[in-house]
Amino acid sequence: MSKPSFREQMLRVREDAIVAAVNRLLAEKGYEAMTVDEVAAEVGIAKASLYKHFPSKEALAAAAMVKVLDRALAEVEALGTEAALAPIDRLRAAARWTMRMQLAGEMPTLPAQNSALRAALLADRGYLDRLLMLSEQLGGWIEAAQAAGEIDTALPAEVVLYTLFARACDPVLGMLQASGRHDDAQIVEWVLRTCFDGLATRG
Amino acid sequence: MSKPSFREQMLRVREDAIVAAVNRLLAEKGYEAMTVDEVAAEVGIAKASLYKHFPSKEALAAAAMVKVLDRALAEVEALGTEAALAPIDRLRAAARWTMRMQLAGEMPTLPAQNSALRAALLADRGYLDRLLMLSEQLGGWIEAAQAAGEIDTALPAEVVLYTLFARACDPVLGMLQASGRHDDAQIVEWVLRTCFDGLATRG
DNA sequence: GTCTATAGCCAGATAGAC
DNA sequence: GTCTATCTGGCTATAGAC
């Protein structure tokens, strides 16, 4: 590996800024409502310059989604090294991380079933590879948690996995935050509780 | 009340057809991705004719949302008359109904935080009135369920209410349906279980 | 690689005949 | 009220100078 030149570093920094802006806008308004003009304005460059870095709006969004998955994979890897955690507590910690991300305005919502973005992501090898890797990591924890009697064995691992992905975009977080009556930490704990313990009384 | 004329009946039937088409398209692709041309094509009339019935795309969507709330209110009213049901079972039945609606492709997704539709709905008295009425009905059941020890009292009623609304649009249902490996009834029961009983083992 | 300016397209909304 | 045809604006994407 040769040391990257100054120009290459600048390029990388700029592209990171672009991806960060896209990520924020995706989280705020979703793919369809986000415009390339807004992205350019937020980064502070001309729209044409964006297209020198990314060939299309879809590629822009895909890069942001890949970055989110990379962050999630890093988080999961870090959780995996904490030997003291029970499998269900790893899952809980991962879910807590996604919820904090969402409240911070940095978690793009899942693409709707029939979105132009969805088609682009399904054709993106980098995205699919990371999604698969994350699914396998979490799937391993889910099976371990079920084997340890921590997760309901009446639920297929697939259902548990999808539920965790969906909770990363749970609109309940935003609704509670919008009400302005609660702080973020409290909101996260409530939603985590509904996710893992359910609405019904435990007894 | 005078008997409606034939013309008025035809008008009503046509507008019902329009609202039904909008409802289906909203459920399928969401507000931003739905086009007025598609609505017109599905109803089988010219786009300009649509605008004789509804002044804008937003009004079109709002009418569909109002209709959904009316159906939900009717369902809730019917559940309220079944004296044998415990409060939590009323809530469960209401949630089951929304999930079946979603799997049938008839439940529009909640408008995103920053959507043009959201602003229109917040300015629509008919929508807000119905939403409030539904919230009060469900809120009453939630408090009764908590008083009876059926719903976790560590959760504010507000959190429970928002969670039930959010589960009406839970993407997990669509993901499981898309996998094609399970039938709708099974999917509903799994998601209901995750909602009320949580992912963690009970016992 | 950055910019300004604009092409090309598509969707919401409207005009005007019938 | 229905239609065909069109207007208008905004959005993705590109041309071309520097």
Side-chain angles (χ1 to χ4, degrees):
Chain A
M1 295 215 317
S2 66
K3 178 180 156 196
S5 72
F6 180 73
R7 296 192 87 86
E8 284 166 344
Q9 287 186 45
M10 289 308 296
L11 187 84
R12 177 64 180 274
V13 165
R14 168 135 303 177
E15 294 199 343
D16 282 351
I18 294 172
V19 168
V22 171
N23 190 55
R24 208 193 61 70
L25 286 167
L26 280 181
E28 179 188 331
K29 42 209 309 183
Y31 177 74
E32 324 281 344
M34 176 186 81
T35 70
V36 178
D37 289 84
E38 286 171 327
V39 177
E42 179 145 333
V43 179
I45 62 177
K47 181 165 53 170
S49 302
L50 275 189
Y51 281 95
K52 298 288 182 180
H53 292 274
F54 299 92
S56 68
K57 180 184 177 184
E58 289 172 3
L60 219 44
M65 298 299 288
V66 164
K67 180 112 178 185
V68 166
L69 286 181
D70 276 337
R71 288 218 261 171
L73 282 166
E75 181 71 17
V76 160
E77 187 179 11
L79 286 171
T81 65
E82 299 197 21
L85 283 179
I88 195 176
D89 289 325
R90 291 187 213 278
L91 293 171
R92 231 188 278 263
R96 184 180 285 112
W97 177 80
T98 63
M99 291 178 187
R100 285 196 185 129
M101 287 274 291
Q102 198 199 332
L103 286 175
E106 294 177 5
M107 180 62 75
T109 61
L110 288 174
Q113 294 301 105
N114 188 343
S115 165
L117 177 57
R118 184 176 170 80
L121 291 177
L122 290 179
D124 185 314
R125 173 60 65 99
Y127 176 81
L128 289 181
D129 283 350
R130 287 168 175 82
L131 187 61
L132 184 61
M133 207 180 312
L134 186 58
S135 296
E136 284 176 353
Q137 285 281 346
L138 294 177
W141 292 352
I142 290 168
E143 285 172 14
Q146 287 183 319
E150 298 162 352
I151 292 268
D152 188 349
T153 51
L155 298 170
E158 179 190 19
V159 172
V160 179
L161 180 65
Y162 291 170
T163 299
L164 291 173
F165 277 129
R167 289 310 155 265
C169 314
D170 198 333
V172 172
L173 292 158
M175 297 188 215
L176 288 169
Q177 193 178 40
S179 84
R181 287 193 294 271
H182 320 286
D183 64 22
D184 287 1
Q186 175 68 79
I187 292 171
V188 168
E189 294 313 311
W190 280 332
V191 177
L192 262 183
R193 186 175 179 116
T194 65
C195 179
F196 282 88
D197 298 334
L199 298 177
T201 303
R202 297 235 159 196
Chain B
M1 296 218 317
S2 66
K3 176 180 158 197
S5 73
F6 180 73
R7 295 195 89 83
E8 283 165 342
Q9 288 187 45
M10 290 307 296
L11 187 83
R12 177 63 180 274
V13 165
R14 169 135 303 178
E15 295 198 341
D16 282 351
I18 294 172
V19 168
V22 171
N23 189 55
R24 208 193 61 70
L25 286 167
L26 280 182
E28 178 187 331
K29 41 212 307 183
Y31 178 75
E32 324 281 345
M34 177 186 82
T35 70
V36 178
D37 289 85
E38 286 171 327
V39 177
E42 179 146 333
V43 179
I45 62 177
K47 180 163 58 168
S49 302
L50 275 189
Y51 281 93
K52 297 287 183 182
H53 293 274
F54 299 91
S56 67
K57 180 184 177 184
E58 289 172 3
L60 220 44
M65 298 298 289
V66 164
K67 180 112 178 187
V68 166
L69 285 182
D70 276 338
R71 288 218 260 171
L73 282 166
E75 181 71 19
V76 160
E77 188 179 10
L79 286 172
T81 64
E82 299 197 20
L85 283 179
I88 193 175
D89 289 324
R90 289 188 214 279
L91 294 171
R92 231 187 277 263
R96 183 179 287 114
W97 177 81
T98 64
M99 291 178 188
R100 285 195 186 132
M101 286 274 292
Q102 199 200 328
L103 285 176
E106 293 178 5
M107 179 62 74
T109 62
L110 287 175
Q113 295 299 107
N114 188 344
S115 164
L117 178 56
R118 185 176 170 80
L121 291 176
L122 290 179
D124 185 314
R125 172 62 64 99
Y127 176 81
L128 289 181
D129 282 350
R130 288 169 175 81
L131 186 61
L132 183 62
M133 207 179 312
L134 187 58
S135 296
E136 284 176 352
Q137 286 281 347
L138 294 176
W141 292 352
I142 291 167
E143 285 172 14
Q146 287 183 318
E150 299 162 351
I151 292 266
D152 188 349
T153 51
L155 299 170
E158 181 190 18
V159 172
V160 179
L161 180 66
Y162 290 171
T163 299
L164 290 173
F165 277 129
R167 289 311 154 263
C169 314
D170 197 333
V172 172
L173 292 158
M175 297 187 217
L176 288 170
Q177 194 178 40
S179 85
R181 286 191 295 270
H182 319 287
D183 65 21
D184 288 1
Q186 176 68 79
I187 291 171
V188 167
E189 294 314 312
W190 279 332
V191 176
L192 262 183
R193 187 174 179 118
T194 66
C195 179
F196 282 88
D197 297 334
L199 298 177
T201 302
R202 295 235 159 197

PDB file of all heavy atoms in Angstrom, chain B residues 42-55:
ATOM      1  N   GLU B  42     -55.800   3.657 -13.372  1.00  0.00           N
ATOM      2  CA  GLU B  42     -56.410   2.548 -12.630  1.00  0.00           C
ATOM      3  C   GLU B  42     -57.934   2.700 -12.552  1.00  0.00           C
ATOM      4  O   GLU B  42     -58.666   1.713 -12.629  1.00  0.00           O
ATOM      5  CB  GLU B  42     -55.814   2.461 -11.224  1.00  0.00           C
ATOM      6  CG  GLU B  42     -56.424   1.345 -10.402  1.00  0.00           C
ATOM      7  CD  GLU B  42     -55.440   0.698  -9.463  1.00  0.00           C
ATOM      8  OE1 GLU B  42     -54.234   0.714  -9.739  1.00  0.00           O
ATOM      9  OE2 GLU B  42     -55.891   0.165  -8.430  1.00  0.00           O
ATOM     10  N   VAL B  43     -58.387   3.940 -12.404  1.00  0.00           N
ATOM     11  CA  VAL B  43     -59.831   4.158 -12.355  1.00  0.00           C
ATOM     12  C   VAL B  43     -60.435   4.044 -13.762  1.00  0.00           C
ATOM     13  O   VAL B  43     -61.598   3.673 -13.928  1.00  0.00           O
ATOM     14  CB  VAL B  43     -60.144   5.540 -11.750  1.00  0.00           C
ATOM     15  CG1 VAL B  43     -61.642   5.798 -11.726  1.00  0.00           C
ATOM     16  CG2 VAL B  43     -59.577   5.635 -10.337  1.00  0.00           C
ATOM     17  N   GLY B  44     -59.634   4.371 -14.763  1.00  0.00           N
ATOM     18  CA  GLY B  44     -60.107   4.287 -16.128  1.00  0.00           C
ATOM     19  C   GLY B  44     -60.757   5.571 -16.616  1.00  0.00           C
ATOM     20  O   GLY B  44     -61.660   5.553 -17.449  1.00  0.00           O
ATOM     21  N   ILE B  45     -60.321   6.697 -16.077  1.00  0.00           N
ATOM     22  CA  ILE B  45     -60.825   7.985 -16.549  1.00  0.00           C
ATOM     23  C   ILE B  45     -59.637   8.892 -16.846  1.00  0.00           C
ATOM     24  O   ILE B  45     -58.499   8.545 -16.557  1.00  0.00           O
ATOM     25  CB  ILE B  45     -61.729   8.675 -15.507  1.00  0.00           C
ATOM     26  CG1 ILE B  45     -60.938   8.966 -14.233  1.00  0.00           C
ATOM     27  CG2 ILE B  45     -62.952   7.828 -15.209  1.00  0.00           C
ATOM     28  CD1 ILE B  45     -61.738   9.703 -13.189  1.00  0.00           C
ATOM     29  N   ALA B  46     -59.902  10.042 -17.444  1.00  0.00           N
ATOM     30  CA  ALA B  46     -58.827  10.977 -17.768  1.00  0.00           C
ATOM     31  C   ALA B  46     -58.376  11.714 -16.517  1.00  0.00           C
ATOM     32  O   ALA B  46     -59.151  11.924 -15.578  1.00  0.00           O
ATOM     33  CB  ALA B  46     -59.296  11.968 -18.823  1.00  0.00           C
ATOM     34  N   LYS B  47     -57.122  12.097 -16.534  1.00  0.00           N
ATOM     35  CA  LYS B  47     -56.563  12.795 -15.378  1.00  0.00           C
ATOM     36  C   LYS B  47     -57.352  14.063 -15.057  1.00  0.00           C
ATOM     37  O   LYS B  47     -57.605  14.366 -13.882  1.00  0.00           O
ATOM     38  CB  LYS B  47     -55.097  13.124 -15.650  1.00  0.00           C
ATOM     39  CG  LYS B  47     -54.409  13.847 -14.515  1.00  0.00           C
ATOM     40  CD  LYS B  47     -52.900  13.794 -14.641  1.00  0.00           C
ATOM     41  CE  LYS B  47     -52.393  14.366 -15.930  1.00  0.00           C
ATOM     42  NZ  LYS B  47     -50.915  14.566 -15.889  1.00  0.00           N
ATOM     43  N   ALA B  48     -57.730  14.785 -16.104  1.00  0.00           N
ATOM     44  CA  ALA B  48     -58.464  16.037 -15.872  1.00  0.00           C
ATOM     45  C   ALA B  48     -59.773  15.772 -15.122  1.00  0.00           C
ATOM     46  O   ALA B  48     -60.215  16.602 -14.326  1.00  0.00           O
ATOM     47  CB  ALA B  48     -58.741  16.731 -17.196  1.00  0.00           C
ATOM     48  N   SER B  49     -60.351  14.608 -15.367  1.00  0.00           N
ATOM     49  CA  SER B  49     -61.608  14.292 -14.676  1.00  0.00           C
ATOM     50  C   SER B  49     -61.384  14.113 -13.176  1.00  0.00           C
ATOM     51  O   SER B  49     -62.239  14.459 -12.358  1.00  0.00           O
ATOM     52  CB  SER B  49     -62.225  13.028 -15.266  1.00  0.00           C
ATOM     53  OG  SER B  49     -62.449  13.199 -16.651  1.00  0.00           O
ATOM     54  N   LEU B  50     -60.248  13.576 -12.833  1.00  0.00           N
ATOM     55  CA  LEU B  50     -59.923  13.423 -11.413  1.00  0.00           C
ATOM     56  C   LEU B  50     -59.977  14.777 -10.715  1.00  0.00           C
ATOM     57  O   LEU B  50     -60.487  14.905  -9.604  1.00  0.00           O
ATOM     58  CB  LEU B  50     -58.519  12.857 -11.238  1.00  0.00           C
ATOM     59  CG  LEU B  50     -58.302  11.360 -11.287  1.00  0.00           C
ATOM     60  CD1 LEU B  50     -56.875  11.053 -10.870  1.00  0.00           C
ATOM     61  CD2 LEU B  50     -59.277  10.670 -10.353  1.00  0.00           C
ATOM     62  N   TYR B  51     -59.439  15.770 -11.424  1.00  0.00           N
ATOM     63  CA  TYR B  51     -59.341  17.100 -10.810  1.00  0.00           C
ATOM     64  C   TYR B  51     -60.691  17.791 -10.714  1.00  0.00           C
ATOM     65  O   TYR B  51     -60.800  18.839 -10.087  1.00  0.00           O
ATOM     66  CB  TYR B  51     -58.321  17.954 -11.570  1.00  0.00           C
ATOM     67  CG  TYR B  51     -56.889  17.624 -11.198  1.00  0.00           C
ATOM     68  CD1 TYR B  51     -56.146  16.711 -11.921  1.00  0.00           C
ATOM     69  CD2 TYR B  51     -56.302  18.214 -10.075  1.00  0.00           C
ATOM     70  CE1 TYR B  51     -54.843  16.405 -11.571  1.00  0.00           C
ATOM     71  CE2 TYR B  51     -54.996  17.916  -9.720  1.00  0.00           C
ATOM     72  CZ  TYR B  51     -54.271  17.004 -10.473  1.00  0.00           C
ATOM     73  OH  TYR B  51     -52.984  16.702 -10.120  1.00  0.00           O
ATOM     74  N   LYS B  52     -61.714  17.231 -11.338  1.00  0.00           N
ATOM     75  CA  LYS B  52     -63.063  17.749 -11.124  1.00  0.00           C
ATOM     76  C   LYS B  52     -63.605  17.246  -9.782  1.00  0.00           C
ATOM     77  O   LYS B  52     -64.475  17.870  -9.175  1.00  0.00           O
ATOM     78  CB  LYS B  52     -63.998  17.301 -12.246  1.00  0.00           C
ATOM     79  CG  LYS B  52     -63.609  17.814 -13.610  1.00  0.00           C
ATOM     80  CD  LYS B  52     -63.901  19.300 -13.769  1.00  0.00           C
ATOM     81  CE  LYS B  52     -63.555  19.754 -15.178  1.00  0.00           C
ATOM     82  NZ  LYS B  52     -63.768  21.195 -15.368  1.00  0.00           N
ATOM     83  N   HIS B  53     -63.095  16.121  -9.336  1.00  0.00           N
ATOM     84  CA  HIS B  53     -63.565  15.532  -8.073  1.00  0.00           C
ATOM     85  C   HIS B  53     -62.709  15.970  -6.887  1.00  0.00           C
ATOM     86  O   HIS B  53     -63.230  16.215  -5.809  1.00  0.00           O
ATOM     87  CB  HIS B  53     -63.547  14.001  -8.171  1.00  0.00           C
ATOM     88  CG  HIS B  53     -64.530  13.428  -9.135  1.00  0.00           C
ATOM     89  ND1 HIS B  53     -65.832  13.158  -8.784  1.00  0.00           N
ATOM     90  CD2 HIS B  53     -64.416  13.090 -10.437  1.00  0.00           C
ATOM     91  CE1 HIS B  53     -66.468  12.659  -9.837  1.00  0.00           C
ATOM     92  NE2 HIS B  53     -65.639  12.616 -10.854  1.00  0.00           N
ATOM     93  N   PHE B  54     -61.405  16.052  -7.111  1.00  0.00           N
ATOM     94  CA  PHE B  54     -60.482  16.418  -6.029  1.00  0.00           C
ATOM     95  C   PHE B  54     -59.532  17.490  -6.535  1.00  0.00           C
ATOM     96  O   PHE B  54     -58.983  17.366  -7.625  1.00  0.00           O
ATOM     97  CB  PHE B  54     -59.695  15.194  -5.552  1.00  0.00           C
ATOM     98  CG  PHE B  54     -60.560  14.095  -5.002  1.00  0.00           C
ATOM     99  CD1 PHE B  54     -61.029  13.084  -5.827  1.00  0.00           C
ATOM    100  CD2 PHE B  54     -60.913  14.084  -3.659  1.00  0.00           C
ATOM    101  CE1 PHE B  54     -61.837  12.072  -5.321  1.00  0.00           C
ATOM    102  CE2 PHE B  54     -61.718  13.072  -3.144  1.00  0.00           C
ATOM    103  CZ  PHE B  54     -62.187  12.058  -3.983  1.00  0.00           C
ATOM    104  N   PRO B  55     -59.289  18.526  -5.753  1.00  0.00           N
ATOM    105  CA  PRO B  55     -58.530  19.676  -6.251  1.00  0.00           C
ATOM    106  C   PRO B  55     -57.037  19.446  -6.371  1.00  0.00           C
ATOM    107  O   PRO B  55     -56.361  20.249  -7.009  1.00  0.00           O
ATOM    108  CB  PRO B  55     -58.826  20.765  -5.214  1.00  0.00           C
ATOM    109  CG  PRO B  55     -59.147  20.020  -3.969  1.00  0.00           C
ATOM    110  CD  PRO B  55     -59.822  18.746  -4.404  1.00  0.00           C
TER     111      PRO B  55
END
